[in-house]
Amino acid sequence: MIALDVAWWIAGVRMAKRRKWQAVVSLFMAAQILGLLAIIGGRWLRIDGLGHLSKAIFAAVILWHFFGLTVLLPIGIVRGCVWLVRQVGRLTGARQPTPPAEETLTRREFVGATVALAPPLFNLSLTSIALAQLNNFRVRRFTLAVPNLPRDLDGLTIAHVSDIHVGRLTSGRVLRKMVEVTNNLRCDLVLLTGDLINDALSDLAEGIALVKALESRYGQWMIEGNHDLIENGAEFERRVQDAGIPFLLNEAAVTQVRGQPVQFFGLRWRRGGGAQRDEVTAGWIAELMRQRQPEAFPILLAHHPHAFDAAAAAGLPLILAGHTHGGQLMLDQQVGFGPVFFRYWSGLYTRGNSQMIVSNGVGNWFPIRINAPAEIVHLTLRRA
């Protein structure tokens, strides 16, 4: 990314021509490179102070390097090809027609202004959209008809809270809003399906305080996600357990809800992917099913939604998952990053008598979403 930044800086200065536009290009690119180095320093080198850039700066740097350079790269390639053709023409003695001086000046002024102003304006616009999104989320409601749901559990309500990502982009006011909105739902259960923190254990105390502030009639249960384990997975698990939060790591727990036993199964996070992940997950679910209590209604919590295949094969009626952020960048509900990377990425999926809800997640690790809004999921279970 730094190499591409430098390449565009050089190309931008050459195309800007006029000193005032060259200065704009240089200021913008210098700021982007310094921002990127600060993020790298804070994240990988763990340099104090660099890992806590403001949301606006962090979003601007990430969006430039994800979208801005992506747009400019093909332009740069075309520009390089044009330059190469001109150089070859000069070497072979071919002469390019020279436009009148007045037209050349006008064209150069336009190109210079565009090269200088378009990238920062584009970046500023995306950052403004991102900052507005980061402070907002929806409540997405589902009513599920569940075969063989115990009569006492008819009308059971669940707040499914996933992918909070306490950290760089999810902090302060939006966290307080998550607690307020969840508690106002007045659900029977609150179930959290991983990625409490974005990566830094320094944010875990705030995440634990958030979880403890969530209210429900019959309790809450939580599992881990991949982001929780980035810095130090064992330490994350120890701290959450020491905090007294019901935390399931390939474990089962039973509680009484309206006088009816409900059994929760929670999966650990499994690093790696593909067929190996599916095979290991299936083995873990098989182990958990040995603890299944026939009289209890079972609910599986799985951060990765591909656990649905093994869970449905095991006959589990309800699975809650997250991880996908609804696909993050989607052209519509079926086209985008979601179906590229996942078999299941947002909403309700059904197979036989098994149903899974995949939450888009309520927090953010990436600064912008397209057609994949952040959400808290509200479930109501009904007897089929």
Side-chain angles (χ1 to χ4, degrees), residues 193-214:
T193 51
D195 282 358
L196 173 61
I197 60 174
N198 192 58
D199 54 59
L201 287 176
S202 59
D203 297 314
L204 182 53
E206 189 173 15
I208 288 173
L210 180 149
V211 174
K212 287 189 170 184
L214 299 176

Side-chain angles (χ1 to χ4, degrees), residues 231-282:
E231 187 170 302
N232 187 327
E235 181 66 10
F236 173 87
E237 294 169 357
R238 184 190 68 78
R239 291 191 193 179
V240 173
Q241 290 169 332
D242 289 349
I245 296 172
F247 187 42
L248 302 175
L249 299 172
N250 283 357
E251 297 171 305
V254 178
T255 192
Q256 294 291 319
V257 178
R258 302 179 179 180
Q260 168 68 36
V262 175
Q263 188 171 24
F264 303 100
F265 300 95
L267 290 180
R268 304 186 77 113
W269 175 256
R270 168 65 166 82
R271 296 183 185 274
Q276 186 180 27
R277 174 192 296 280
D278 294 343
E279 183 179 347
V280 171
T281 299

Side-chain angles (χ1 to χ4, degrees), residues 20-189:
K20 60 182 178 180
W21 301 132
Q22 290 174 341
V24 173
V25 172
S26 295
L27 285 173
F28 178 71
M29 294 311 306
Q32 288 292 341
I33 292 173
L34 288 174
L36 182 60
L37 290 174
I39 292 171
I40 294 171
R43 171 64 185 87
W44 296 110
L45 303 179
R46 307 195 190 288
I47 299 175
D48 293 340
L50 293 185
H52 292 83
L53 297 175
S54 72
K55 290 182 183 181
I57 295 174
F58 183 84
V61 173
I62 294 300
L63 291 171
W64 164 254
H65 289 92
F66 191 90
F67 290 106
L69 287 179
T70 301
V71 171
L72 291 175
L73 185 59
I75 296 175
I77 293 173
V78 171
R79 177 74 181 181
C81 291
V82 170
W83 177 84
L84 183 61
V85 169
R86 287 177 176 174
Q87 297 306 309
V88 171
R90 288 174 182 174
L91 291 175
T92 58
R95 292 187 176 181
Q96 300 294 327
T98 302
E102 186 175 347
E103 293 182 3
T104 303
L105 180 62
T106 302
R107 183 179 69 84
R108 286 182 175 179
E109 280 289 314
F110 175 77
V111 170
T114 301
V115 168
L117 297 178
L121 288 176
F122 174 76
N123 194 224
L124 178 62
S125 299
L126 277 185
T127 302
S128 299
I129 294 170
L131 291 177
Q133 288 185 343
L134 292 175
N135 291 320
N136 290 287
F137 57 87
R138 68 182 181 183
V139 175
R140 190 181 188 185
R141 298 177 184 270
F142 294 89
T143 298
L144 304 184
V146 181
N148 303 316
L149 182 70
R151 188 176 301 277
D152 290 338
L153 297 183
D154 185 46
L156 177 75
T157 55
I158 299 171
H160 177 199
V161 185
S162 190
D163 298 88
I164 300 173
H165 289 278
V166 177
R168 295 185 189 94
L169 295 177
T170 313
S171 61
R173 183 165 59 91
V174 72
L175 295 178
R176 295 189 291 273
K177 184 178 177 182
M178 290 177 193
V179 172
E180 179 184 358
V181 170
T182 302
N183 291 348
N184 286 342
L185 292 175
R186 304 186 187 284
C187 289
D188 295 313
L189 296 166

